[in-house]
Amino acid sequence: MSLTGTSEVFASIDEDALNDILQAFFNARPHYRRYGSPAFVPVTTVSETAIPAIAFPGIPGGIDWRISFTTPVVDLFEQTQPLPPGMTLKPGQFSLHTDVELCVNCIARKDTRSDAAGARASRTKPRPDHVVCTKLGVFGIGHLDVWNSPNGDGAVRLRVDSVELVDIQPDSLETVLECVIKMILDGILSRIELPLKALRAGAFELIVTEGPEIEHNHIQAFGNV
Amino acid sequence: MATILAAIDEGGANTLLGDALASIPTLSKSGSGSLGPFTAGYSVQGTFAGGTVDLIAPSTVRIEHLRFNWQMTLSFGIDLDDFLPHFCLPQVCVDIPCVGHVCTPKICVSWPTIGVSVPFGDFVEATADFGIDVSLSGGQWKVQILVQNLSQLQFGPATAGILVLIGAAITPLLLAIPFIGPFLAVAVDLILAAIGVAGLTGFLGPILSPFLSGLKIPVYQQDKHFKFLPASGPVDPDVFIELDAVSAQIQHSDEDELVLSVDISP
């Protein structure tokens, strides 16, 4: 069976190459996987993205927090990487694995008004004084979100549909954390568009007629010149 | 191995290589050669067009009816000395009383060279078998096809009329020569007829053949340090991957395809 089938042009990238592209992306732009509120990240740079602290009444300046992910490792259907029990990879899906580190600046406050005022003053130059962190292994399942235009442009995004954290008790805590991390991880990946040009290493421009889609450990697309 | 594959079938290759041929700029050269007894200077230029791609496993790209549209200006210098007898008025000496021995100079008649330029054009076609060449030079991967075998050139229908054009350009000039012009015109026409189409194509073939035999058609060209995302702001710099290895071959299954394989790393 030919690669092109009934089309003129075929392009495919295997999961190792896709992971290399993701690694190249996160190496060049690490701020896409590192986020912190002002105590951790005062200003967005190539390395980190500044986000607001979590506002809460009675906590001057809010709760400072930081979240960072390791570069996700993606496995395209068919499954070749282990998944936790209950997670299965279906046709058209990918799985990913990443480690997430969640940190909070846990400031201890005293009861005096002067201390409260001092705390407010110190919040003008927030510092990560009392940082507590946890690191969690995250497995996710997702699908491709693709677009292409008649002029040959197009891109692929990885969208996360569900995540699984392992061995967290009680289950309700696991569910809450999974929800939060799923939203954050999907938010991060949805901002990353991998152009079709990258998925074909710049070869044979094509007007996509089918795909890009996940098939046999590859992302593949068909089209015409 | 982290691999990206791109494949194109014969239909796509026809479009791709047709576009690549059309993008080759006008080629030109000049020189001189012998057309029968005449020495002719030429200036030729042309462009490629047409052709039907046939992909042949494992590594041949055949283009049938590869056409080179050419325009040529042929410059003749017809030296009438080659046609007309040389004659001289001999030196004559006389003894003149009181003057002495007086001689006239020897006077030789030198026939002129008649120059004429003849522009014309046509096309040639051939079937060319290309090999696939992959190279890494100056930090850039390049895949191109190079002619390895070229069939005999087939000239277009207008080529046969070129001798008539040459004759039509020369004849009026020769006819203008008093007394002997008509005879010269007939002589040149006879020579052109003797040269014939075979002689003409024998003249044109070596001039035009190098354009086709030296043809290189680009198929793929990318920097090894491949930028797949351009910078989009102060915190979003360019993103690159490395193209570590590139290979190309023709694969045969239920159809023939040109397949490009690229190994990458972050």
Side-chain angles (χ1 to χ4, degrees), chain A residues 1-5 7-12 14 17 20-21 24-25 28-29 31-32 45 195 197-199 201-204, chain B residues 1-9 12 220 222 227-230 235-237 239-241 253-255 257 260 264-266:
Chain A
M1 181 65 182
S2 65
L3 292 170
T4 52
S7 300
E8 290 182 335
V9 182
F10 165 84
S12 84
D14 66 23
D20 282 351
I21 283 181
F25 179 88
R29 303 178 182 181
H31 73 90
Y32 276 86
T45 64
K197 175 189 172 188
L199 305 182
F204 306 152
Chain B
M1 189 83 69
T3 304
I4 290 173
L5 279 182
I8 190 165
D9 70 359
Y220 177 75
Q222 291 295 343
K227 184 198 297 186
F228 76 87
L229 269 182
V235 297
D236 286 331
V239 185
F240 296 89
I241 53 174
S253 54
D254 54 333
E255 63 178 329
E257 299 166 310
L260 214 62
I264 71 166
S265 62

Side-chain angles (χ1 to χ4, degrees), chain B residues 157-176:
Chain B
T159 300
I162 289 171
L163 288 172
V164 176
L165 286 176
I166 295 172
I170 293 175
T171 300
L173 299 174
L174 296 176
L175 288 175

Side-chain angles (χ1 to χ4, degrees), chain B residues 121-243:
Chain B
D122 196 9
F123 66 85
V124 287
E125 281 188 357
T127 294
D129 284 348
F130 294 77
I132 302 172
D133 179 69
V134 181
S135 64
L136 173 62
S137 176
Q140 195 168 63
W141 284 106
K142 192 180 285 185
V143 178
Q144 55 186 356
I145 58 173
L146 315 175
V147 172
Q148 290 188 327
N149 189 34
L150 191 67
S151 72
Q152 190 173 3
L153 298 184
Q154 301 294 316
F155 286 85
T159 300
I162 289 171
L163 288 172
V164 176
L165 286 176
I166 295 172
I170 293 175
T171 300
L173 299 174
L174 296 176
L175 288 175
I177 298 173
F179 307 118
I180 58 171
F183 300 105
L184 292 174
V186 170
V188 168
D189 286 345
L190 288 174
I191 291 170
L192 290 175
I195 292 171
V197 173
L200 180 66
T201 55
F203 171 75
L204 294 174
I207 296 172
L208 299 174
S209 180
F211 287 110
L212 287 87
S213 62
L215 181 59
K216 299 174 184 176
I217 304 177
V219 173
Y220 177 75
Q221 189 168 326
Q222 291 295 343
D223 290 337
K224 182 180 185 297
H225 194 50
F226 175 73
K227 184 198 297 186
F228 76 87
L229 269 182
S232 57
V235 297
D236 286 331
D238 295 328
V239 185
F240 296 89
I241 53 174
E242 297 300 317
L243 309 184

